[in-house]
């Protein structure tokens, strides 16, 4: 069963509850270098943009005369809220009118090619790749979920390789399981479901069918190494963040 049309809650909810993602993005943008970019215009693509609250990175880029911003997410995403966010932050995105902005929306799963070959100068994927393409079943194991996450990552990187120009940049911020583990969250979720089972008959095993997997750093690096003929890893870092 496909899960790649899953989207974040709209109506402004994600924008109001994405502070943690914003902290991770701030650190990720330190890796961005466009020193090799030439020309007065640039094309940026945000893969998995949700409602757009954290798509403010253009204001941190070097001066240029124009930029094309592509906002991609699944067809079920709240694109109405996304466009409102873009409008509300137009001054910041356009550097107070110094940059002519063109915006494009791409309502397709980023596990497919969503843009023409060589179209993008720099791509971004922030705190989204822990969502799996396919829905796990009750027989799923940590090993099978790890394998599925690996294949998803390879697919994502392979189609981005087509869309991003030669010597372009792809910045990915991946929530991972490490110093701060997410395992207690799932145990609490299952315990909550068991507590309400008598009243609502909600099967606690549904927690194991959530279409997400938090990779370890080693798993992330293994997936990247598997596409080393397409991508070169310039740098990486880990940042412990506690969700409060």
């Amino acid at each position: 069963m496909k899960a790649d049309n899953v989207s974040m809650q709209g109506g402004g909810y994600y924008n109001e509850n994405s502070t943690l993602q914003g902290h991770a993005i701030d650190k990720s943008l330190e890796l961005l270098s466009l020193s090799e970019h030439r020309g007065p215009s640039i094309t940026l693509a945000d893969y998995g943009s949700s409602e757009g609250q954290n798509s403010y990175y253009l204001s941190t880029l070097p001066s240029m005369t124009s930029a094309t911003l592509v906002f991609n997410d699944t067809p079920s995403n709240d694109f109405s809220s996304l466009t409102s966010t873009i409008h509300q932050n137009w001054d910041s995105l356009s550097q107070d009118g110094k940059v002519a902005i063109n915006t494009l929306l791409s309502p397709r799963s980023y596990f497919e090619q969503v843009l023409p070959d060589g179209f993008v100068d720099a791509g971004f994927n922030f705190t989204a790749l822990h969502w799996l393409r396919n829905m796990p079943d009750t027989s799923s194991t940590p090993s099978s979920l790890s394998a599925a996450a690996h294949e998803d990552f390879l697919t994502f990187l392979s189609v981005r390789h087509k869309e991003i120009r030669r010597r372009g940049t792809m910045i990915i911020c991946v929530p991972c399981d490490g110093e701060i583990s997410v395992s207690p969250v799932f145990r609490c979720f299952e315990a909550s479901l068991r507590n309400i089972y008598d009243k609502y008959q909600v099967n606690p095993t549904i927690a194991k069918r959530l279409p997400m997997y938090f990779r370890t750093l080693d798993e992330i690096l293994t997936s990247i190494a598997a596409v080393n003929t397409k991508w070169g890893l310039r740098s990486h870092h880990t940042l412990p963040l506690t969700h409060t």
Side-chain angles (χ1 to χ4, degrees):
M1 179 179 177
K2 292 289 186 182
D4 59 0
N5 195 27
V6 171
S7 63
M8 299 298 99
Q9 184 172 337
Y13 181 87
Y14 184 83
N15 279 352
E16 294 172 359
N17 295 275
S18 57
T19 302
L20 180 72
Q21 292 90 328
H23 291 325
I25 291 169
D26 286 340
K27 193 67 176 178
S28 298
L29 288 175
E30 294 178 7
L31 302 176
L32 180 61
S33 173
L34 294 175
S35 58
E36 296 178 359
H37 178 72
R38 297 291 183 270
S41 183
I42 193 170
T43 298
L44 308 176
D46 185 357
Y47 298 98
S49 57
S50 188
E51 295 183 296
Q53 179 63 30
N54 291 316
S55 300
Y56 54 79
Y57 41 78
L58 180 61
S59 60
T60 68
L61 299 181
S63 297
M64 55 196 67
T65 59
S66 66
T68 297
L69 286 180
V70 182
F71 297 92
N72 160 260
D73 214 303
T74 63
S76 61
N77 183 58
D78 189 347
F79 281 95
S80 177
S81 181
L82 170 59
T83 55
S84 294
T85 302
I86 295 170
H87 176 72
Q88 293 164 9
N89 292 278
W90 194 261
D91 288 344
S92 175
L93 291 171
S94 66
Q95 298 181 10
D96 294 322
K98 297 176 183 177
V99 181
I101 301 295
N102 300 290
T103 56
L104 301 174
L105 302 181
S106 175
R108 295 186 67 186
S109 167
Y110 56 49
F111 291 116
E112 307 169 11
Q113 184 167 354
V114 300
L115 294 168
D117 289 358
F119 187 75
V120 178
D121 293 298
F124 305 85
N125 178 270
F126 295 127
T127 63
L129 274 172
H130 56 296
W131 293 100
L132 300 175
R133 188 176 192 181
N134 295 302
M135 189 77 73
D137 56 37
T138 54
S139 65
S140 296
T141 64
S143 178
S144 66
L145 291 175
S146 174
H150 174 69
E151 290 302 318
D152 283 356
F153 208 171
L154 297 189
T155 298
F156 177 86
L157 291 173
S158 295
V159 291
R160 299 295 82 77
H161 178 257
K162 296 178 181 179
E163 297 170 351
I164 296 177
R165 66 169 178 80
R166 183 173 175 80
R167 301 190 183 281
T169 301
M170 182 76 216
I171 291 182
I172 303 174
C173 178
V174 186
C176 64
D177 199 25
E179 181 179 340
I180 300 176
S181 176
V182 298
S183 297
V185 176
F186 283 95
R187 289 197 293 270
C188 289
F189 184 39
E190 289 183 14
S192 298
L193 291 175
R194 284 193 292 271
N195 289 337
I196 65 174
Y197 176 77
D198 289 340
K199 183 175 182 179
Y200 298 104
Q201 285 73 54
V202 177
N203 188 342
T205 62
I206 194 174
K208 297 180 180 179
R209 299 194 63 238
L210 292 174
M212 63 173 65
Y213 179 77
F214 291 88
R215 303 164 177 85
T216 65
L217 177 59
D218 285 344
E219 288 174 321
I220 293 170
L221 295 178
T222 296
S223 296
I224 295 173
V227 291
N228 61 6
T229 59
K230 299 177 179 178
W231 288 102
L233 180 62
R234 288 187 176 179
S235 59
H236 70 86
H237 62 236
T238 57
L239 177 66
L241 289 175
T242 303
H243 207 317
T244 57

